Amino acid sequence: MARGDPPKDCYYLVGVVFFVLGLGTLLPWNFFITAIPYFQARLAGPNATVAIPGVNGTAPSDAFNFSNWMTLLSQLPLLLFTLLNSFLYQCIPESVRVVGSLLGMLLLFAGTAALVKVDLSPGHFFSITMASIWFINSFCAVLQGSLFGQLGTLPPAYSTLFLSGQGLAGTFAALAMLLSMASGVDAQTSALGYFVTPCVGILLSIFCYLLLPHLEFAQHYLSKKASQPQGQELETKAKLLRADEKNGVPESPQKAMLPSELTPEEGEPEKPSIMAVLRKIWLMALCIVLVFTVTLSVFPAITAMVTSSAGPGKWSRFFNPICCFLLFNIMDWMGRSATSYLLWPDKDSGLLPLLVCLRFLFVPLFMLCHVPERRYLPVIFPQDACFIVFMLLFALSNGYLVSLTMCLAPRQVLPHESEVAGALMTFFLALGLSCGATLSFLFKYLL
């Protein structure tokens, strides 16, 4: 190795570490939404069967609006820590933020697993679970932002690996659900095994992070972190979007998808105005808000309530985990990956906002599917095939339009404006998620 050359990443261990850490950042969200039927069954009362898939293919009652509250309390921490980003990251050391967040998530998930064996009234169970969801996602938001800072000093390929790990989280959770259901054990043991799985994943993430300082390749790059400017996290998110533009963005509504890497021009450019940057990217910002508003307004609050019309049987038990959660994760990832080969329509075309607005049609389509418990609307699409087709198009369009919007965003601004554009896009991303979660209450009521 020549003097000054970076050391080699032996056996690509650093890449594996950041892949696992990416997986760990989105395990909480995905494991909670996939287990919605379990929580609804627990909240239905002491006489309800505690089962993850529901009973005989019918959806458990949802008197507490669990899926709506879970979605809202999962997304509000993201919005909150987006606003507190700079203050928090300057006051608390990076290692404390990462390890502390992982330990906090581990303890709260262990508590969630322990609650499977604890007999609680529905009200107490709901309150404890909602508090756990809030704090787990708060830790997750801090963890994700902290890891962005470290990724900023590494080659771009490691950003892609981190995002790929995040993309696997949803599929991993859905497969864990299917395996727990197919294990043949009783429902309570099945639920316990399901919630122990992310605990193992978080323990593995902690081990991987503690291993980083002992890897020569990681030491070489991460030692530069102390000399980086305070805006490193935002610059890192910019790098992540550059990786997205080339490789496609992996799945998950909570990941960072931001404008291109800041490339300083010769000389010190004038500090960009927030309003000037917003005027350039307002259409992309509006599109990302609308995409996530539609997605979170029905997924998982409405889609998790859809059941098979085929009657009792194995297909009815596995219908929602496969056709809702697993299908969404796979098709969403495919949609995001498609932007590696196709960027259409372009940033100057009026088709992009039109396609984004057309996604609002999915709201009534899902509301008119086979949801047993409803007040006002009829069931117009009782066939399982209708729901599968809707979900396929819904997830594919979500992934593609999110990735497309974020790939086009950096083309709207000058290089020295990318950091401000990154902060703005982060805010609008979180805003879209929160708006969708809030609207889910209205759509659930209108059923």
Side-chain angles (χ1 to χ4, degrees):
M1 181 176 68
R3 180 178 295 179
D5 289 346
K8 292 184 177 180
D9 185 5
C10 296
Y11 304 107
Y12 220 51
L13 285 178
V14 176
V16 172
V17 165
F18 276 100
F19 180 87
V20 173
L21 289 172
L23 179 68
T25 58
L26 288 183
L27 280 181
W29 159 257
N30 286 286
F31 267 80
F32 270 104
I33 65 170
T34 309
I36 283 177
Y38 156 76
F39 290 109
Q40 291 176 339
R42 284 291 300 267
L43 294 170
N47 296 324
T49 302
V50 178
I52 291 180
V55 183
N56 294 329
T58 61
S61 61
D62 192 17
F64 286 83
N65 288 317
F66 177 86
S67 56
N68 304 77
W69 282 110
M70 182 217 65
T71 306
L72 183 62
L73 294 180
S74 295
Q75 304 310 323
L76 284 180
L78 178 63
L79 183 60
L80 175 63
F81 284 100
T82 298
L83 299 175
L84 297 178
N85 182 49
S86 299
F87 173 78
L88 180 67
Y89 293 168
Q90 291 173 19
C91 295
I92 304 176
E94 187 173 78
S95 59
V96 175
R97 281 182 268 130
V98 174
V99 177
S101 296
L102 286 169
L103 287 174
M105 291 162 59
L106 175 63
L107 291 174
L108 288 167
F109 252 115
T112 302
L115 282 180
V116 173
K117 296 287 188 179
V118 178
D119 186 18
L120 290 173
S121 67
H124 287 111
F125 180 78
F126 177 78
S127 300
I128 294 173
T129 302
M130 286 299 114
S132 297
I133 288 173
W134 172 271
F135 286 109
I136 284 177
N137 283 278
S138 297
F139 285 130
C140 186
V142 174
L143 173 66
Q144 185 170 246
S146 302
L147 292 174
F148 288 156
Q150 291 194 334
L151 284 166
T153 60
L154 295 169
Y158 292 84
S159 299
T160 304
L161 281 170
F162 180 80
L163 291 169
S164 298
Q166 288 190 319
L168 183 64
T171 304
F172 182 78
L175 290 175
M177 166 70 75
L178 292 172
L179 287 175
S180 68
M181 292 170 58
S183 61
V185 298
D186 62 274
Q188 194 176 70
T189 304
S190 175
L192 179 62
Y194 176 77
F195 286 113
V196 167
T197 304
C199 295
V200 176
I202 294 171
L203 278 173
L204 182 60
S205 298
I206 294 174
F207 172 79
C208 287
Y209 182 78
L210 295 178
L211 182 65
L212 274 180
H214 303 285
L215 300 176
E216 186 181 4
F217 181 85
Q219 286 179 339
H220 173 80
Y221 283 100
L222 297 181
S223 61
K224 302 176 183 178
K225 181 77 170 71
S227 62
Q228 296 292 339
Q230 291 180 350
Q232 180 65 44
E233 279 81 5
L234 289 177
E235 295 183 26
T236 305
K237 293 175 185 179
K239 286 186 180 182
L240 291 179
L241 184 62
R242 176 64 62 83
D244 292 347
E245 187 171 352
K246 293 180 179 179
N247 302 293
V249 187
E251 181 276 331
S252 171
Q254 280 180 300
K255 72 194 149 303
M257 296 164 290
L258 297 163
S260 59
E261 180 182 0
L262 182 63
T263 307
E265 297 176 345
E266 218 171 52
E268 188 68 25
E270 182 182 352
K271 186 175 181 180
S273 164
I274 292 178
M275 292 307 300
V277 174
L278 184 59
R279 280 195 292 269
K280 294 180 181 180
I281 66 168
W282 70 268
L283 184 58
M284 297 298 107
L286 178 61
C287 284
I288 200 63
V289 169
L290 294 178
V291 169
F292 278 123
T293 295
V294 172
T295 300
L296 269 291
S297 66
V298 293
F299 180 86
I302 304 297
T303 59
M305 299 175 64
V306 178
T307 62
S308 173
S309 58
K314 284 188 177 181
W315 170 243
S316 296
R317 292 183 65 240
F318 287 91
F319 172 77
N320 206 268
I322 293 176
C323 299
C324 178
F325 297 106
L326 185 61
L327 182 61
F328 177 87
N329 286 312
I330 292 175
M331 298 310 300
D332 181 70
W333 178 81
M334 290 181 63
R336 295 175 192 273
S337 300
T339 54
S340 301
Y341 312 100
L342 175 68
L343 287 177
W344 178 89
D346 61 34
K347 59 186 177 67
D348 298 320
S349 172
L351 283 177
L352 178 58
L354 176 62
L355 292 174
V356 169
C357 291
L358 284 175
R359 291 192 77 246
F360 278 93
L361 292 175
F362 286 114
V363 175
L365 289 178
F366 282 122
M367 292 176 69
L368 297 173
C369 284
H370 190 255
V371 178
E373 291 193 5
R374 53 178 62 242
R375 296 184 185 88
Y376 307 112
L377 298 179
V379 176
I380 296 181
F381 305 106
Q383 299 85 0
D384 295 354
C386 291
F387 177 76
I388 293 172
V389 171
F390 296 158
M391 180 57 68
L392 188 150
L393 296 175
F394 175 73
L396 191 65
S397 63
N398 179 76
Y400 183 76
L401 291 174
V402 164
S403 183
L404 178 65
T405 300
M406 291 305 176
C407 288
L408 295 178
R411 306 184 182 190
Q412 308 284 348
V413 298
L414 299 174
H416 73 278
E417 297 173 325
S418 293
E419 187 174 338
V420 173
L424 288 171
M425 292 300 286
T426 308
F427 172 77
F428 285 109
L429 167 65
L431 180 62
L433 293 168
S434 300
C435 288
T438 304
L439 273 178
S440 68
F441 286 89
L442 173 62
F443 296 150
K444 179 81 166 289
Y445 175 79
L446 292 177
L447 276 178

